[in-house]
Amino acid sequence: MHFRTFAFIALAFAMTSVARGAVWSSPDGNVSVTIPSDGSFVVVPNPPAPAIVLWQLSDGTRVFIAKADNPQNIPLEKAGLEEGTLNQVPGTLISSVETSLKGVPVFTIAVRGNIQGHSIYAMQKIAAFDSVVYKLMVGGPVDCTSDPRIVPVFDSFTILSANPRVPAAPKSSNPFSHERSVGIAQIGWTVLFIALIVVVIRKVISSGPKPMATPGWGLAIDQVGAALLIARVNPDSPASRSGLLPGDRILRINDIEVANAQSLSNLLGQQVNGPAVTIAIERNGMPMDLVLKS
């Protein structure tokens, strides 16, 4: 091949690589990811520990990499990681896959949960080295398992140094054996990192529109997309006495469908000191009717 042709191909390849994104590598050279270089991922300075780098997207979704030492070389297991994840983000396990890259076990776990009436998605990719654990994580209001902004970043996760985990300890019937302590420790690792997702998500939620109060009834309404959700129920209020709970989805008021939180607040405001109000809700997928009395 002519030198000029070769140089042109090399230059085109380099330009294509740059266009695809910029590579971020961990300071110790163990892992890397490719982040889009179009400005959609903005680095957040001084990320909260244990995150070592944090990016934020325009809709509040945050992607970060966390690192923790594992001096006892505790093996991680998928079941324990799944349990720990669902303990911190109660909801449904979307997917859970265990693979190996250069001899390093890598776990990818995604869940869908609900925090303060908001649908939340969280996904993490965990690489367990001999003495350190890395987690690439994302949390936000959008389904990260199919988000075209997120999936390429997770797919780009690369093990740079082959430092395989030590083999797991032999199984034992002793309930106080090393194996049981490993299971407990696994959940502890997950709690440590998922807690950061919960904090980040709550910050995203708190920065959005505030719930709308309904004077006289003791409840506040939040609108998430087309859904009208109860965000807060005041103690010893008509709403509390009726049995309404935070997270209930309001369907109708006196058989009248309402389009938004403002309309709902206005409608309830007109009923204060009037006759009882029948409110149709959905709770955990089950429809029910409750009666509000002022």
Side-chain angles (χ1 to χ4, degrees), residues 22 40 56 59 61 65 68 75 87 95 105 119 144 166 178 193 211 276:
S40 58
Q56 179 166 306
D59 65 354
T61 297
I65 294 180
N87 282 343
S95 61
S119 291
C144 43
V166 294
H178 172 71
F193 291 109

Side-chain angles (χ1 to χ4, degrees), residues 189-213:
W189 286 113
T190 306
V191 167
L192 176 66
F193 291 109
I194 294 297
L196 181 56
I197 272 193
V198 173
V199 169
V200 168
I201 290 173
R202 284 177 176 163
K203 287 182 179 179
V204 171
I205 291 174
S206 64
S207 65
K210 302 300 180 184
M212 181 169 295

Side-chain angles (χ1 to χ4, degrees), residues 20-101:
R20 282 201 302 264
V23 176
W24 177 92
S25 301
S26 60
D28 57 14
N30 280 332
V31 300
S32 72
V33 293
T34 301
I35 299 297
S37 54
D38 58 3
S40 58
F41 281 65
V42 178
V43 175
V44 177
N46 303 316
I52 56 177
V53 62
L54 171 62
W55 298 275
Q56 179 166 306
L57 283 71
S58 59
D59 65 354
T61 297
R62 291 193 168 191
V63 179
F64 51 95
I65 294 180
K67 173 188 175 183
D69 293 329
N70 184 15
Q72 297 179 353
N73 294 333
I74 299 175
L76 304 183
E77 295 179 356
K78 188 169 68 169
L81 295 171
E82 292 171 357
E83 182 179 351
T85 302
L86 291 173
N87 282 343
Q88 284 296 308
V89 185
T92 304
L93 185 69
I94 300 176
S95 61
S96 180
V97 178
E98 179 180 353
T99 58
S100 177
L101 297 175

